[in-house]
Amino acid sequence: MSAPTLHTAHPTDAVERARDAADRESWAEAYALLHAHDLHPSRGLTADDLSVLADAAWWSGHTDESVTARLRSHAAFVAAGDHRGAGLAAWWLHYEYASLGRPAAAAGWLHRARHHLEDLPPCPEQCFLAWTDAEEAEQHGDGAAALAAARRMTRLAVRSASPDLVALSRQAESSVLLANGRRTEALALLDDAMCAVTAGELSGVFTGWLYCLALTQCMEAADFERAVEWTHAAMEWCAPPWTGRPPEPGQETETLAATSVSLSGENPFRGVCRAHRVEVLDLLGTWALAEEEARQACREVPVDCLESAAAAFYTSGDVQRRQGRLDEAATSYAHAHELGRIPQPGLALLRLAQGRADAAVAGVDLALACQSDPRHDLLGRARLLAARTEVALAVRDVPGASRAAAELDALAGDVPLLRATADTALGAVALAEARPGPALRLLRQALAGWLALHVPYEAAQVRMLLAAADRTAGDEEAARLELAAARAVFERLGAVPDARRAAALLSGGKRRRLPGGLTAREAEVLRLVAGGGTNKDIAHALVISEHTVSRHLNNIFAKLGIGSRSAATAYAYAHDLL
């Protein structure tokens, strides 16, 4: 993007206006003024002004220019013997190179930052080194070193009296405490940091950092209520229009030219925050908006945050799968995978819906085995275990389902979102084990949990299980009430396969009408095919000849308009014939 053309002005005035624009965080205006000034070789910029140019270029989307200006600012600070300025510039170069996927360059600049800063008396710039130390120790699983570094950061931040650094240090310490299982302490610190964010007390880059870090932290910790609140606040902060100070009299034309980019409402953090919002909207059942926002997030995320685009594609896949749009879901999961995300457990559940039970089992088992440290993503682990329970029950592996549900129960504790997930899995296992009493108790707990969280799809799924438990216990009226409530939610969400299943169970009464014109014997053969049975297996199970099995299969294929056992299996799953 080229810089807007400005009217000729005195060089010193232009730089002063750029500094003023930076103070107001009108970054496009500051970038346009400094960029135009810097085009003239005779007009030098100070080290501090080059830092402002680097910041303004980054906010305006000129990443390469940001790095170039930062390199020049570092050289200028070194020439002036300013180790604090040089150290901060070096740390920012480490951060920018890491974001651009250049780890060797990032490591070199981090080493330079340490060289400039480590031997100085305590100073605010050392906060960034301590933050990096805490993150690196966490990545290596050294909780004690991570906590020591985070607390060193906090001491330096408090000493500096910088609201930005204090808030960031609170979040850093919170992250370490949460990874070490100290949830209450961690969330108290995070609340403290986010008070400063939502009150508008921080500068733009620290506000953006903290929203992104806190939202990731909340979802991984399954703190859904905080995620909902802060996602809404983050999107309000990211929203255009530009809100800088109006131009002074006589500067209208020049300033409007300089701020044309700002008026478009660009914010490098918007795509990342929107990707977090997509996940929240998905859970809240606002699926049409979630898909729309996912597409927008993929257009907005910076090139150094492609994991956010991957998350948006993955969530779109989940929505499409539950609505029965299986081919679209497969495409979305493939896009997520291309961007570096393992698309599980959604892909395993898609395979199950397609009748590929073996692929579903293998996919979710591999994802569980590959999760290096479940403590850093409790919700991710819980979702994998819930899917493992569902898949195991679908293939009649009740012991396997029981083991997955037990691990999920131990993981959940009293965290509401995890507790509802665990109670759902435990209730489903109890139902499969023909224990209607415990199943009803657990499933009613799960339903209460999902309703309290305002998560409709999972609540409706629990109602389906409750209906089965009610019927097992002989309470047909209660079963029909649960089925009717579930059907209404599924229809509102557009969850077509689930709505069809609820409707079939509601209208079936004592004798269910089979789909596709199938006879009772053909439906029995189809069930055994979906369970993986060969013609020989089916003949043995039904005490008929293999020739008769072949004849039934030919009739089934003709009636359903299909041509393979895998298609027959998918039909059986889609129409709840198992």
Side-chain angles (χ1 to χ4, degrees), residues 122-159:
C123 60
E125 292 79 6
Q126 292 168 347
C127 281
F128 295 97
L129 292 182
W131 187 28
T132 304
D133 291 341
E135 290 191 331
E136 289 182 347
E138 267 199 274
Q139 290 168 4
H140 290 95
D142 190 343
L147 187 57
R151 287 180 169 166
R152 183 168 72 253
M153 180 185 179
T154 299
R155 290 193 297 272
L156 288 164
V158 170
R159 181 187 181 114

Side-chain angles (χ1 to χ4, degrees), residues 7-260:
H7 294 290
T8 303
H10 191 279
T12 304
D13 292 342
V15 173
E16 287 298 328
R17 287 199 302 278
R19 292 170 183 164
D20 176 68
D23 288 341
R24 291 183 279 111
E25 297 193 338
S26 181
W27 293 112
E29 180 186 357
Y31 169 75
L33 290 163
L34 289 175
H35 179 84
H37 180 90
D38 198 42
L39 290 175
H40 298 274
S42 61
R43 299 178 182 177
L45 289 173
T46 67
D48 286 326
D49 289 333
L50 286 166
S51 295
V52 173
L53 176 58
D55 292 341
W58 183 83
W59 277 97
S60 302
H62 305 282
T63 308
D64 291 342
E65 290 183 52
S66 174
V67 171
T68 300
R70 195 84 64 189
L71 288 167
R72 291 169 61 197
S73 75
H74 174 265
F77 281 124
V78 171
D82 183 347
H83 282 283
R84 286 177 57 182
L88 183 58
W91 185 89
W92 270 107
L93 284 163
H94 148 73
Y95 175 83
E96 291 195 72
Y97 277 123
S99 298
L100 292 170
R102 297 182 57 185
W109 282 103
L110 180 60
H111 177 76
R112 283 200 177 185
R114 295 190 193 283
H115 170 74
H116 287 302
L117 296 172
E118 281 185 335
D119 293 332
L120 296 180
C123 60
E125 292 79 6
Q126 292 168 347
C127 281
F128 295 97
L129 292 182
W131 187 28
T132 304
D133 291 341
E135 290 191 331
E136 289 182 347
E138 267 199 274
Q139 290 168 4
H140 290 95
D142 190 343
L147 187 57
R151 287 180 169 166
R152 183 168 72 253
M153 180 185 179
T154 299
R155 290 193 297 272
L156 288 164
V158 170
R159 181 187 181 114
S160 76
S162 162
D164 285 341
L165 292 174
V166 170
L168 187 62
S169 71
R170 296 273 191 262
Q171 188 282 327
E173 189 173 344
S174 168
S175 177
V176 175
L177 289 170
L178 197 60
N180 289 329
R182 296 162 65 176
R183 187 180 182 92
T184 302
E185 295 172 73
L187 293 177
L189 281 172
L190 187 60
D191 286 341
D192 184 298
M194 294 307 292
C195 277
V197 174
T198 55
E201 297 171 1
L202 309 184
S203 66
V205 70
F206 283 82
T207 298
W209 270 347
L210 281 159
Y211 271 130
C212 292
L213 292 167
L215 289 172
T216 299
Q217 191 173 334
C218 284
M219 290 309 297
E220 291 182 349
D223 194 327
F224 186 54
E225 291 172 322
R226 283 181 172 86
V228 171
E229 180 180 343
W230 291 338
T231 299
H232 179 71
M235 291 311 300
E236 284 191 338
W237 174 73
C238 288
W242 173 71
T243 56
R245 192 171 66 200
E248 298 293 332
Q251 295 182 357
E252 289 86 350
T253 303
E254 185 172 308
T255 304
L256 282 175
T259 59
S260 60

Side-chain angles (χ1 to χ4, degrees), residues 298 306 309-314 316 320 328-341 343:
C298 291
L306 292 181
F313 274 121
Y314 176 83
S316 291
Q320 292 153 358
E328 293 175 69
T331 300
S332 294
Y333 290 142
H335 285 320
H337 184 262
E338 288 167 6
L339 293 173
R341 175 169 180 148

Side-chain angles (χ1 to χ4, degrees), residues 183 218-219 221-229 279-281 283-284 415 417 453-455:
R183 187 180 182 92
C218 284
M219 290 309 297
D223 194 327
F224 186 54
E225 291 172 322
R226 283 181 172 86
V228 171
E229 180 180 343
E279 192 169 6
V280 167
L281 291 171
L283 280 167
L284 292 175
V415 180
L417 185 60
L453 290 165
H454 306 288
V455 177

